[in-house]
Amino acid sequence: MKPDLQWLAEIGATPAANASQRGTNVTALKTALAATVDPQFEADVLDGLDDDQKHIPSIWLYDRRGSELFEEITEVAEYYPTRTETRLLAGLAPELESEIGGVHSLVEIGSGSSRKTRLLLAAMHSLARYVPVDISADFLHDAAAGLARDFPRLAVQPVVADFTAPFALPASIAGRAADDSAGNLGFFPGSTIGNFTPDAAVDLMTQLARTLGPRSRLLIGVDTTQDPALLIPAYDDAAGVTAEFNLNLLDRINRELDGDFDRCNFRHLARHDPQHGRIEMHLVSQREHTVHVRGRTFAFAAGETIHTENCYKYSPSQFLHMAHAAHWRCERSWQDGGRTGFTVYLLRRDA
């Protein structure tokens, strides 16, 4: 179906409808759609584009299409974190249940497709509930439905939430945590903690400790790599999947915030900042031009960038210092013995 006919079908009009009726219906539909836009997304985009260093928080990269593209990124040859962490999880999963004495609820933070989670669900027979938490509702519910089908013994209870802000667990899980001697097990894979500055990472882990409850544990993956020869290709793969993931943000702004970005005017850039120990992702303006979003005008100079993501590569000492500041202590860790130094930590909440 052609795009214009698709719009007509969605609003109940037909090609034969008169022009004024079509215009009225399209306007009504756009108004309805605008009402569904996350106001925080709008505020973050408008404020970020108005800053001296234009920026947009990385969480907004993950609409449904962005989530799908990130899953593709995890499969490209250059992207070592997923392969490394999956190998570590496959080795530790069989011993995890005896290590922590039986846990009834697994809460995954930023669950995505939950592919790695299957290793834990299959190995931890005491689990009765799985709570995936993600901001992309459609993607989350699709993944949760697949897990509910494949693990019928589990109660799968997805939570649509921005995990960077306080969120509530289902009442049955939150209530049980207070009485359960083992507490909840949080799962935060993918080195997603690296998307946060040190202070923000401490704040997030502090919030997760409160959310997961007393006696809870947190299984978290952390990438320590500082080798640019590994890092740059991992965030700028030859197939261009990461570039598409980054540029998709412009498409989302156009679709949800009435933007008029032309992605041909931008290119993806990944660069290593050794001083801060991080990879940065940017969208670089190819020429001088202006863009409109929600009726506001934003000027771009040639070479100016929108900073879209940080990926900090915290050393073990840095990460453990942050964990302690957030009232977690390390019970055990599993580290990659190769070039990456990727580590999975099992943390326990301080009493």
Side-chain angles (χ1 to χ4, degrees), residues 21-101:
Q21 180 63 42
R22 290 200 302 271
T24 300
N25 287 339
V26 169
T27 299
L29 180 60
K30 287 184 175 180
T31 301
L33 289 175
T36 68
V37 171
D38 189 319
Q40 191 61 54
F41 175 48
E42 180 174 353
D44 284 349
V45 169
L46 294 177
D47 290 346
L49 293 179
D50 200 36
D51 208 346
D52 290 338
Q53 167 58 73
K54 293 179 170 63
H55 65 277
I56 298 173
S58 62
I59 194 169
W60 302 119
L61 293 164
Y62 295 90
D63 63 349
R64 183 185 183 94
R65 180 57 181 154
S67 297
E68 292 170 345
L69 285 165
F70 182 75
E71 292 304 316
E72 292 183 32
I73 289 171
T74 65
E75 297 176 357
V76 302
E78 299 95 330
Y79 196 75
Y80 64 86
T82 297
R83 292 192 306 275
T84 307
E85 186 176 37
T86 300
R87 184 171 65 251
L88 291 172
L89 290 170
L92 68 88
E95 60 190 88
L96 190 59
E97 187 161 31
S98 60
E99 182 82 22
I100 61 180

Side-chain angles (χ1 to χ4, degrees), residues 161-167 204 207 211:
D162 172 4
F163 64 79
T164 66
F167 65 92
L204 176 60
Q207 172 200 309
T211 300

Side-chain angles (χ1 to χ4, degrees), residues 82-290:
T82 297
R83 292 192 306 275
T84 307
E85 186 176 37
T86 300
R87 184 171 65 251
L88 291 172
L89 290 170
L92 68 88
E95 60 190 88
L96 190 59
E97 187 161 31
S98 60
E99 182 82 22
I100 61 180
V103 169
H104 292 94
S105 300
L106 178 68
V107 180
E108 183 172 6
I109 311 302
S111 54
S113 68
S114 301
R115 283 188 299 171
K116 297 173 196 170
T117 319
R118 291 174 175 270
L119 295 168
L120 302 182
L121 299 182
M124 300 183 67
H125 302 292
S126 66
L127 287 175
R129 297 177 184 84
Y130 170 58
V131 182
V133 181
D134 204 277
I135 196 170
S136 178
D138 291 343
F139 200 72
L140 172 66
H141 289 302
D142 287 351
L147 286 168
R149 180 184 63 249
D150 295 342
F151 295 91
R153 65 181 171 83
L154 288 173
V156 179
Q157 300 175 273
V159 173
V160 179
D162 172 4
F163 64 79
T164 66
F167 65 92
L169 294 176
S172 59
I173 295 174
R176 177 159 191 151
D179 302 322
D180 197 331
S181 61
N184 294 317
L185 174 62
F187 183 40
F188 195 19
S191 194
T192 307
I193 194 67
N195 292 147
F196 299 85
T197 65
D199 287 345
V202 170
D203 290 343
L204 176 60
M205 287 193 287
T206 301
Q207 172 200 309
L208 291 178
R210 289 193 296 264
T211 300
L212 292 170
R215 295 175 295 279
S216 58
R217 287 177 172 85
L218 181 63
L219 191 69
I220 180 169
V222 181
D223 187 12
T224 69
T225 309
Q226 289 293 339
D227 182 357
L230 281 177
L231 290 170
I232 297 299
Y235 292 88
D236 192 10
D237 58 279
V241 181
T242 309
E244 180 65 21
F245 170 67
N246 205 7
L247 288 162
N248 177 67
L249 179 59
L250 305 182
D251 296 339
R252 180 179 187 182
I253 294 171
N254 287 349
R255 183 175 63 252
E256 297 184 26
L257 301 179
D258 301 322
D260 61 359
F261 277 98
D262 183 346
R263 59 156 55 201
C264 292
N265 288 332
F266 292 86
R267 64 177 176 86
H268 167 69
L269 171 68
R271 66 188 182 200
H272 182 224
D273 180 350
Q275 181 178 356
H276 292 95
R278 71 190 187 192
I279 284 285
E280 297 178 358
M281 290 203 332
H282 293 256
L283 291 168
V284 184
S285 175
Q286 301 281 67
R287 64 181 184 86
E288 183 178 340
H289 68 292
T290 58

Side-chain angles (χ1 to χ4, degrees), residues 100 184-186 205 215-220 319-320 322-324 327-332 334 344-350:
I100 61 180
N184 294 317
L185 174 62
M205 287 193 287
R215 295 175 295 279
S216 58
R217 287 177 172 85
L218 181 63
L219 191 69
I220 180 169
F319 174 73
L320 291 175
M322 294 188 301
H324 293 160
H327 309 294
W328 295 96
R329 60 182 175 85
C330 182
E331 285 195 332
R332 189 170 175 187
W334 297 262
V344 176
Y345 294 92
L346 178 62
L347 308 177
R348 181 169 186 144
R349 179 180 164 175
D350 286 343

